[in-house]
Amino acid sequence: MDTNVELDKIDITGEAPLEEPARQYYFMAKARRHLEAQRERLGRPLTAAVTTFGCQMNARDSEKLVGILRLVGYEMIEEEDADFVIFNTCTVRDNANQRVYGRLGELKGYRRKNPNMKIALCGCMMQEPSVVEKIRGSYPFVNLLFGTHNIYKFAELLCTVFEQSDMVVDIWEDTNRIVEDLPVERKYPFKSGINIMFGCNNFCSYCIVPYVRGRERSREPKDILREIEALVADGVVEIMLLGQNVNSYGKNLDNPITFAQLLREVEKIEGLQRIRFMTSHPKDLSDELIQVMKESRKICRHLHLPVQAGSTKILSAMNRRYTKEQYLALAAKIRREIPDIALTTDIIVGFPGETDEDVEETIDIIRQVRYDNAFTFIYSRRTGTPAAAMEPVPEEQVKRNFDKVLKTVQTVAREQVARYQGQTMEVLVEEINENDASLVTGRLSNNTLVHFPGDASLIGQIVPVCLEECHGFYYMGRQV
Ligand code: 5AD
Ligand code: SF4
């Protein structure tokens, strides 16, 4: 679709239409005029930079921001001294927040050199009233703040920023609205994330996500399938279906369908080669899903199944709604049905009330499930969550236990990943290796990284590679 021509055809002399997405296209056309005027005034093209913090959801949201910024006429660059700088923030742990404040401080310096610069903040952090207060008070040079529920309004907000000098703040508490058909610019031509649902209803007691991302809302299957078909027609071979808890997909639709049923439909799309998804809550993982994965030729041999903790006492305090035994039984069932699957997980160390004995149970789970990888986090107190009111674990104990858990993960994962040494497996090549330009980097179906000699012509292709040497979490290989 030649969106350039279409934008120029939009009449912006009248009132903005009320329906979406037409309203946003109107504002994109308007923003483009603003930019043309600025370009003329400054005698140079205008640049924009998007910085993403946090998860795959945010990465996908940032692609939507880039889609709009490029369409209205910005040249996208990496540097934060651009004319329009936007941080798409994360607040799942406090260190993410601290990084945003640090980077904002740096921006103040750039702003002095480029008075034309506009600064915007969006994403999960902005859904916290205390953050908005702090930015209003300590960072008054910020031009625009908006949250997770109204990201679809970005073009409209951009126009407001061009038309008023005060800080523009537009944060919604919640929404049940999903706006389809806005522009997106993918980071990779051959793979893409796709939102299938937004929000989370689980309220794990440590987690801020349900407060900042709102209640669960699923997209209509037909919209998802249409989007994937268009992506495949545009060269995408691998997709990642995204949701905070994909296993409860479809429950709140007028015509409810299960996640497994959706996967069956996605599988039928011709030309699509690999299907991934994130994240699965163990309490909702159905036998139907295991069956669909087992029978599928396209669903990747990888399941991310966050356990969070090993002790049933802590799991209960976390409001995870499964016991250690139930989790272990589920993992064993998955391994039995799909023996070549890689299981990965998230683990939190230092949740309030966690003792050394509880941590031993986490270590026991790691050894029994034999994860291929695990993201290990130190518990971070999030204001407004039930766990924030609970007694914290002494820091020294948390550090000691974190190191212990990390060591166990590394030992087990190394052995797990090495299972395929010497075998030839298919690798989807993603990029030129960051450290050695004579190598390319790609992923196995089970998500393990592989580096091997090759050039840019391989990017986006699925090629057979002999896995010659396992180095912990990745392989060095040779194309065969
Ligand atoms: N502290 C530490 N880790 C957290 N996570 C979520 N909330 C917190 C918190 N308050 C972790 C969980 C989740 C992952 C995305 O982030 O492990 O699965
Ligand atoms: Fe947070 Fe739990 Fe929802 Fe995951 S399932 S986003 S950890 S509340």
Coordinates of all heavy atoms in Angstrom, one line a residue, residues 92-93 206-207 306 308 346-348 377-380 382, ligand 1:
V92 N 8.2 -2.9 35.1 CA 8.0 -4.2 35.7 C 8.9 -4.4 37.0 O 8.5 -4.9 38.0 CB 8.1 -5.4 34.7 CG1 9.5 -5.7 34.3 CG2 7.3 -6.6 35.2
R93 N 10.1 -3.8 36.8 CA 11.1 -3.8 38.0 C 11.6 -2.3 38.1 O 11.7 -1.6 37.1 CB 12.2 -4.8 37.8 CG 11.8 -6.2 38.0 CD 12.9 -7.2 37.6 NE 13.1 -7.1 36.1 CZ 12.3 -7.8 35.2 NH1 11.4 -8.6 35.6 NH2 12.6 -7.7 33.9
Y206 N 3.1 -9.8 43.1 CA 4.3 -8.9 43.0 C 4.2 -8.0 41.8 O 5.0 -7.1 41.6 CB 5.6 -9.8 42.8 CG 5.4 -10.8 41.7 CD1 5.5 -10.5 40.4 CD2 5.0 -12.1 42.0 CE1 5.3 -11.5 39.4 CE2 4.7 -13.1 41.0 CZ 4.9 -12.7 39.7 OH 4.7 -13.6 38.7
C207 N 3.2 -8.2 40.9 CA 3.3 -7.7 39.5 C 2.5 -6.5 39.3 O 1.3 -6.4 39.6 CB 2.9 -8.8 38.5 SG 3.2 -8.4 36.8
P306 N 6.8 -19.5 32.7 CA 7.3 -18.9 33.9 C 6.9 -19.6 35.2 O 5.7 -19.8 35.4 CB 6.8 -17.5 33.9 CG 6.5 -17.2 32.5 CD 6.1 -18.5 31.9
Q308 N 8.4 -18.8 38.4 CA 8.6 -17.7 39.4 C 9.2 -18.2 40.7 O 10.1 -17.5 41.3 CB 7.2 -17.0 39.7 CG 6.4 -16.5 38.5 CD 7.1 -15.6 37.6 OE1 8.3 -15.1 37.8 NE2 6.5 -15.2 36.5
D346 N 10.9 -17.9 33.9 CA 11.3 -16.7 34.7 C 11.2 -17.1 36.2 O 10.3 -17.9 36.6 CB 10.2 -15.6 34.5 CG 10.2 -15.0 33.1 OD1 11.2 -15.2 32.4 OD2 9.2 -14.4 32.8
I347 N 12.2 -16.6 36.9 CA 12.3 -16.9 38.3 C 12.5 -15.6 39.1 O 13.3 -14.8 38.7 CB 13.5 -17.9 38.6 CG1 13.3 -19.2 37.9 CG2 13.8 -18.0 40.1 CD1 14.4 -20.2 37.9
I348 N 11.8 -15.5 40.2 CA 12.0 -14.3 41.1 C 12.7 -14.8 42.4 O 12.2 -15.8 43.0 CB 10.7 -13.6 41.4 CG1 10.1 -13.1 40.1 CG2 10.9 -12.5 42.4 CD1 8.7 -12.5 40.3
F377 N 15.3 -13.0 38.2 CA 15.2 -11.6 38.6 C 15.2 -11.5 40.2 O 14.7 -12.4 40.8 CB 13.9 -11.0 38.2 CG 13.6 -11.2 36.7 CD1 12.6 -12.0 36.2 CD2 14.4 -10.4 35.8 CE1 12.4 -12.2 34.9 CE2 14.1 -10.6 34.4 CZ 13.2 -11.4 34.0
I378 N 15.8 -10.4 40.6 CA 15.7 -10.1 42.1 C 14.3 -9.4 42.3 O 14.0 -8.5 41.5 CB 16.8 -9.2 42.5 CG1 18.1 -10.1 42.6 CG2 16.5 -8.6 43.9 CD1 19.3 -9.3 43.1
Y379 N 13.6 -9.9 43.3 CA 12.3 -9.3 43.5 C 12.4 -7.7 43.7 O 13.3 -7.2 44.3 CB 11.7 -9.9 44.8 CG 10.5 -9.1 45.3 CD1 9.3 -9.2 44.6 CD2 10.6 -8.2 46.4 CE1 8.2 -8.4 45.0 CE2 9.5 -7.5 46.8 CZ 8.3 -7.6 46.1 OH 7.2 -6.8 46.5
S380 N 11.5 -7.0 43.0 CA 11.5 -5.6 43.0 C 10.1 -5.1 43.6 O 9.1 -5.5 43.0 CB 11.7 -5.0 41.6 OG 11.5 -3.7 41.6
R382 N 6.9 -3.2 44.0 CA 6.2 -2.3 43.1 C 5.0 -1.7 43.9 O 4.1 -2.4 44.4 CB 5.6 -3.0 41.9 CG 6.6 -3.8 41.1 CD 7.9 -3.1 40.7 NE 7.9 -2.0 39.8 CZ 8.5 -0.8 40.1 NH1 9.1 -0.6 41.2 NH2 8.4 0.1 39.2
Ligands
5AD1 N1 10.1 -8.1 40.7 C1 10.9 -9.0 40.0 N2 10.5 -9.6 38.9 C2 9.3 -9.4 38.4 N3 8.6 -9.8 37.4 C3 7.4 -9.3 37.3 N4 7.2 -8.5 38.4 C4 8.4 -8.5 39.1 C5 8.8 -7.9 40.3 N5 8.0 -7.1 41.0 C6 9.2 -10.8 36.5 C7 8.4 -12.1 36.4 C8 7.7 -12.1 35.1 C9 8.8 -11.3 34.3 C10 8.2 -10.7 33.0 O1 9.2 -10.3 35.1 O2 9.3 -13.2 36.5 O3 7.5 -13.4 34.6

